Each structure stands twice: as C-alpha cells, then as structure tokens.
Amino acid sequence: MEALSLPAALELVAGAGAGLSPERRAALGTSLPLLQRDYRFERVWFWGCIQGVRGAYYIAEGLGPDRAAPRSRLYSLNCVDWSLLTPATKEMLALAEQVKGRFQGDPSFEYSLAEINAEAAASLIQSGKEPVMKEEARLIATIEQIDRDVGIVPRGAFLKTPLGSVHENRHFEGLSLVEAKKLSSYFHFTHPVNLKNKTLLEKADLDPSTDFLDSLEHDIPRGSWSIQLEKGGTVVVLRSLLWLGLTFYHVPMTKQFGYVYFGTGEKNLDLPFML
C-alpha cells in the first residue's frame, strides 16, 4: 500500500485484526519518505510484515517509472533501519518452497539443506558451496512468491503503453460498487500466465491497454479469495485464503486501493481440502 496514505489504509484493513502499533506507524511515517529520497524511488509501498519466532520483518518496496518492472525490496527489523534485498533467483524460489515452519526473525539464521533436500545439498557441495540456506534468502523468495500469487490491483488502475511499459492510469476513478464485488474486476500485478492461453475469440473483447494481466476469476483452487463489504458497505475487502494474512482493500468510486500482508510467511497448503 502507498506509504503516504499508510495510516488511513491500515484503518481500512484493520478488520482482519492485524496492524501496527502507534510506535511502528510513527517510525514508518518518518523512515519511508527518507527511504524514497535516499534510493531515489518514484514511489514507496509498505508491503507488510512477516512475523518470526524471535522477531518480525517489516517490508517496503520501491518502484520506478515502469510499475511492472522488478521492484526493489527492503526489510527492517525496527521500521527505522532498512537493508536492501537482492532479487530472487529460481534456485532461491525452489529451495524456499521446501522449507517448512516459522521464520526465526534472524536474517543470518541458516537452514540445513541436508535435512530439507538431500539432492540440492549434494549439488551445492559439488559446486563448492555450503549446503545451507540463510533466512534472508528465504525471506526474499517468500516475498516474491506472495507478490506473484496474490499481489493484486483493480482493473483499469494501470495502463500498458504500446512500448510495453506500465504506468498508473490518471483517469482511473475507482470501480463501481457492483464491479468491485466481482473477482473479474481484479488482476494479478505480475507477468500474465493465463492470458497467453486465451483464444483470439476470447481476446477480441479485451482492451490491450487495461486487460494485459491475469484475472482473479480463474485462480486455482476456486474459492481461494474471500470478498467482503466493510465500513458500512463503503469498502470492498479481499482476503487471500492461500496466503493467510494478505488483505486487499478498495474504496469504490475513488482511487484508494492497496494490499498489505501480515502473517507468518507460510503458504496454506491445506486449502484444497478446506474448500
């Protein structure tokens, strides 16, 4: 969610029971603008918090002119001092999926790959690397996976130019209340997968400038999203059942929208059996 509107945005998603203490809010209100200035980001989003056993990771994302370009991610243990994370690699993503259990809250904590994946550990030993995975690498992979799976935006909030770059739609004035209650009105804000598989007949009704992302209506398993009206029906809230703790909000007929994650960083693998 947008750093500048963080206090108001947190109030809109507070129905899930998660949030930040007044001290943490005050610290973010001071440190995030400085973060934007120091790293020369166009925008800074507060991504959320991953709660560990001994501490928590507070995550921020920095965006450039192209909103679809890879984002710079940073984490903090106290909402004041920020450390830049390296981009996620395929190896990180593959190993992180096999690590089970809670985060510890210590970036230097090491997971033994010999206990997780003997083949991966053997290949690392052969290449001269230690068969361990630091929690910082798991943190990088988890943030990337959550963004890919459940990072969403309303339809029409972003436009794709003929050159391929993605920018905010200045004419976006929000979804109507009727449209805001439909899953088809929200898109995954990541590289499309299902869109490439659509037939030419299905693509004929799509606007290439706004319908360039995958819609939530085809998410698997079906039923992995919960849509609710809150604040007397003035706010539409979507909650992910796949990544428990991810909450998206949108105020119909306004430009106010965003998502935040407050959770343990563990995927709900039991979801197909719960639906």
Side-chain angles (χ1 to χ4, degrees), residues 66-271:
D66 185 354
R67 298 295 191 257
R71 303 165 207 163
S72 298
R73 297 189 174 104
L74 305 97
Y75 77 93
S76 174
L77 301 177
N78 56 10
C79 295
V80 176
D81 303 308
W82 296 88
S83 300
L84 188 64
L85 294 169
T86 59
T89 63
K90 291 183 179 180
E91 182 184 17
M92 281 184 192
L93 293 169
L95 291 176
E97 285 187 351
Q98 301 177 53
V99 179
K100 307 299 179 186
R102 294 279 301 275
F103 278 79
Q104 296 300 309
D106 178 7
S108 61
F109 180 82
E110 295 181 342
Y111 298 93
S112 173
L113 294 181
E115 302 174 1
I116 300 170
N117 188 324
E119 292 183 7
S123 63
L124 285 175
I125 293 173
Q126 289 177 358
S127 61
K129 299 178 181 178
E130 292 187 32
V132 296
M133 181 184 192
K134 286 195 173 183
E135 183 158 279
E136 185 176 270
R138 183 190 178 191
L139 178 67
I140 294 169
T142 301
I143 297 170
E144 177 70 21
Q145 195 172 8
I146 292 175
D147 265 345
R148 287 185 185 181
D149 291 348
V150 291
I152 62 176
V153 294
R155 180 181 183 272
F158 293 87
L159 292 176
K160 186 174 184 179
T161 68
L163 298 177
S165 59
V166 176
H167 303 278
E168 293 174 5
N169 183 3
R170 296 181 180 179
H171 301 289
F172 177 70
E173 295 296 338
L175 301 171
S176 67
L177 183 59
V178 174
E179 291 297 320
K181 293 188 287 185
K182 300 177 182 178
L183 279 180
S184 58
S185 298
Y186 302 95
F187 292 151
H188 289 281
F189 199 39
T190 186
H191 293 294
V193 177
N194 297 328
L195 188 64
K196 299 176 183 178
N197 301 325
K198 288 183 178 290
T199 64
L200 292 175
L201 188 61
E202 290 173 321
K203 291 181 180 179
D205 296 329
L206 301 180
D207 184 342
S209 64
T210 56
D211 301 317
F212 58 94
L213 300 168
D214 286 334
S215 169
L216 267 61
E217 63 180 334
H218 302 300
D219 279 12
I220 298 174
R222 290 187 177 276
S224 61
W225 288 97
S226 167
I227 302 182
Q228 297 172 332
L229 292 177
E230 297 188 358
K231 306 289 184 182
T234 59
V235 181
V236 178
V237 174
L238 278 72
R239 295 186 175 91
S240 172
L241 305 181
L242 183 63
W243 288 95
L244 297 172
L246 189 287
T247 306
F248 171 89
Y249 76 93
H250 176 48
V251 181
M253 305 306 293
T254 74
K255 296 183 178 182
Q256 299 180 56
F257 69 89
Y259 66 86
V260 69
Y261 178 81
F262 288 102
T264 60
E266 297 174 284
K267 193 174 185 177
N268 183 15
L269 299 176
D270 295 329
L271 179 60

Side-chain angles (χ1 to χ4, degrees), residues 9-58:
L10 287 173
E11 292 295 331
L12 296 178
V13 299
L20 295 170
S21 66
E23 294 81 6
R24 296 297 187 197
R25 292 193 190 192
L28 287 173
T30 303
S31 65
L32 290 180
L34 294 176
L35 196 69
Q36 182 174 354
R37 183 201 66 185
D38 293 343
Y39 285 89
R40 298 183 180 179
F41 295 136
E42 278 206 359
R43 292 286 181 88
V44 169
W45 286 354
F46 176 66
W47 184 88
C49 170
I50 292 180
Q51 185 67 48
V53 176
R54 298 194 294 267
Y57 297 104
Y58 299 92

